[in-house]
Amino acid sequence: MLVPVRITSALVDPALLDLPWSTPLEEWPAQHLVALPQGISRHIVRFVRLGDYVYAFKETRERIAEREYDLLRALERIDFPSVEAVAVVADRQTDDGEPLESVLITRHLQFSLPYRALFSHTLRPETMSRLLDALAALIVRMHLTGFFWGDCSLSNTLFRRDAGAFAAYLVDAETGALHNSLSNGQRGEDLEIARVNIFGEALDLQAAGLLHESIDPEVVCEEVVQRYERLWHEITYEQAIEREARHDIEGRIRRLNELGFDVAEVAMSTIEGGRYLVRPKVVDAGYHTRRLLRLTGLDAEENQARKLLNDLDAYRAESDLIDEQQAAHRWLTEVFEPVVRAVPAHLRRKLEPQELFAQIIEHKWLLSEQAGRDVGMRHAVQSYLADVLVHRPDEQAVLGVEVPTAG
């Protein structure tokens, strides 16, 4: 028998009506539930499968559920990395007429785990570093958006593997607020809450014997703060450069890459003296292959795509092209294709075009570093062909053919 409830939903699924809404969430029968790792929560949270998807159900007061639903929907509209709000179920009551709390439903992020779950296992140092980078990047992006979280923790953050890296996602926005921008005081308060919460959860895991002995809770929380501060500075300071100083733009992007963050595009504006103010925009890992394909039709691996897009954005900055699609077309026809065509026919089997261009970009960077100036693409191509590519074997190993070695 259908139970009368009020559902506000972005998902049109009649199966929602068939769930046992007259029963408190913690008493739902196992037939409706899915066992998945979850962090600690002040609310009752259960995972439920409906059709092909898994959803997180959280019991809370109606006003709080509706506010969080609206906030998550707002974050979704600005493409913020958070879970997707699906519905609020209100006006619940037991079979005896006793009122029950409302339920907020969010879509479970496939192939994700709470940070707390990963910290409960043995972590290699490089894995820990990438996790902290992803968490710091999430908080920075959140603050750039004008979002005050107010409850960042290992339990309230999900991670997902993405092209060999980790991407972090917000999972609980109950205490959050979206503003046009945040003051330094608001950012500082949010960062301090994150530091205290992460330290507390790490101590909790340590006391339960779940934290690897090599992980120091105090170091973990301080590392997140330090990585945040480095990234915030690198992203937000506006760098004044000369029109011809493309090498300086590339240097700025490389510093961000070395910090473990990817650059989606370069925002720029002109100032007196014909100079530019440059500010890179960072994104989560896994973004670049899709963006390169959309803009140019080139299909590349993630690291290749990142290097090609960095070059495209630097070209766009120095060419005064506002329209991204137009800049991509001109870069493809005026930069990428001429470089590929410059390779003699007998050398073209050595590397695929995308990898060839990526390596030439790297070679150009090294030559420019040695010269202390931008040496230009023509010189870099000639130098790479004569000094590097000619000595490489054909890349037949990619096709499954073993390349013989000397000796």
Side-chain angles (χ1 to χ4, degrees):
M1 185 177 71
L2 294 180
V3 177
V5 291
R6 177 166 51 87
I7 300 178
T8 303
S9 177
L11 171 72
V12 180
D13 190 342
L16 282 174
L17 297 172
D18 297 329
L19 295 172
W21 295 116
S22 61
T23 304
L25 195 54
E26 63 180 334
E27 299 175 10
W28 277 26
Q31 68 189 66
H32 295 291
L33 306 180
V34 178
L36 290 174
Q38 66 184 78
I40 56 177
S41 174
R42 65 178 69 89
H43 304 287
I44 301 298
V45 177
R46 295 290 185 268
F47 294 103
V48 177
R49 180 180 295 278
L50 291 177
D52 296 330
Y53 297 100
V54 174
Y55 300 91
F57 285 41
K58 179 174 75 172
E59 273 188 340
T60 186
R61 294 197 300 274
E62 180 180 347
R63 181 181 59 81
I64 295 176
E66 290 178 345
R67 181 179 179 277
E68 185 172 3
Y69 174 85
D70 290 340
L71 190 51
L72 287 173
R73 295 278 289 167
L75 292 175
E76 182 183 351
R77 285 193 291 271
I78 60 176
D79 198 28
F80 186 83
S82 62
V83 294
E84 176 188 345
V86 172
V88 173
V89 182
D91 295 345
R92 298 172 62 215
Q93 58 182 13
T94 66
D95 293 334
D96 297 329
E98 293 295 322
L100 293 173
E101 287 192 321
S102 297
V103 173
L104 172 69
I105 304 175
T106 57
R107 189 186 298 245
H108 175 65
L109 189 65
Q110 196 173 19
F111 306 118
S112 70
L113 287 171
Y115 264 64
R116 181 184 175 92
L118 195 66
F119 274 72
S120 302
H121 299 82
T122 300
L123 288 177
R124 294 177 298 167
E126 60 269 25
T127 303
M128 171 72 78
S129 179
R130 287 184 294 162
L131 278 170
L132 298 182
D133 279 341
L135 180 54
L138 176 71
I139 302 173
V140 166
R141 182 173 178 183
M142 176 174 63
H143 288 171
L144 289 171
T145 303
F147 183 77
F148 178 88
W149 194 348
D151 196 22
C152 174
S153 69
L154 299 180
S155 290
N156 284 349
T157 312
L158 296 177
F159 78 92
R160 183 163 62 175
R161 303 178 194 278
D162 192 354
F166 290 121
Y169 294 79
L170 176 150
V171 71
D172 191 326
E174 181 176 313
T175 57
L178 190 57
H179 306 278
N180 290 331
S181 63
L182 296 182
S183 67
N184 289 337
Q186 287 172 313
R187 288 195 304 106
E189 179 184 357
D190 210 16
L191 202 58
E192 178 62 14
I193 291 171
R195 188 187 69 78
V196 172
N197 284 349
I198 293 169
F199 182 53
E201 280 202 78
L203 285 177
D204 180 56
L205 291 170
Q206 186 180 63
L210 298 175
L211 195 66
H212 192 268
E213 60 184 13
S214 65
I215 299 177
D216 184 335
E218 186 171 2
V219 170
V220 168
C221 66
E222 294 302 331
E223 272 285 302
V224 172
V225 173
Q226 291 171 13
R227 289 166 193 249
Y228 169 94
E229 291 174 342
R230 290 201 305 271
L231 180 59
W232 181 266
H233 171 75
E234 194 63 53
I235 290 173
T236 57
Y237 88 88
E238 291 189 320
Q239 178 183 11
I241 64 171
E242 302 296 333
R243 275 183 176 268
E244 298 78 17
R246 172 173 175 164
H247 187 59
D248 289 342
I249 301 176
E250 294 173 346
R252 178 85 177 272
I253 293 172
R254 282 174 177 268
R255 288 197 300 275
L256 282 166
N257 293 158
E258 289 167 2
L259 285 171
F261 304 103
D262 290 332
V263 176
E265 59 187 51
V266 176
M268 59 184 179
S269 58
T270 56
I271 57 176
E272 293 181 1
R275 294 184 300 164
Y276 293 115
L277 279 178
V278 175
R279 176 183 292 178
K281 296 181 181 179
V282 299
V283 294
D284 301 318
Y287 171 91
H288 296 86
T289 295
R290 296 187 299 274
R291 180 175 175 234
L292 182 69
L293 185 64
R294 173 176 59 83
L295 288 174
T296 67
L298 296 174
D299 190 8
E301 297 294 335
E302 179 67 13
N303 287 335
Q304 293 173 349
R306 184 181 69 188
K307 290 184 178 182
L308 269 62
L309 286 168
N310 285 350
D311 193 74
L312 189 161
D313 286 327
Y315 170 84
R316 179 185 172 196
E318 69 179 10
S319 302
D320 290 330
L321 293 172
I322 303 300
D323 184 82
E324 183 181 54
Q325 197 69 52
Q326 181 186 4
H329 175 72
R330 285 185 52 178
W331 173 86
L332 186 66
T333 57
E334 297 177 9
V335 181
F336 179 83
E337 291 176 351
V339 166
V340 173
R341 287 197 299 268
V343 180
H346 68 284
L347 297 179
R348 290 179 183 171
R349 294 183 61 195
K350 293 181 179 293
L351 290 173
E352 62 175 349
Q354 290 87 330
E355 180 64 21
L356 173 73
F357 191 88
Q359 292 203 16
I360 289 176
I361 292 173
E362 188 67 23
H363 188 69
K364 175 174 173 284
W365 169 258
L366 294 174
L367 293 178
S368 298
E369 283 287 279
Q370 293 168 5
R373 60 179 177 82
D374 188 348
V375 299
M377 184 62 83
R378 183 184 298 274
H379 175 70
V381 170
Q382 294 173 348
S383 172
Y384 182 81
L385 295 180
D387 301 333
V388 180
L389 187 63
V390 71
H391 302 296
R392 288 184 60 95
D394 289 355
E395 199 166 71
Q396 294 175 330
V398 176
L399 303 178
V401 178
E402 183 177 354
V403 178
T405 55

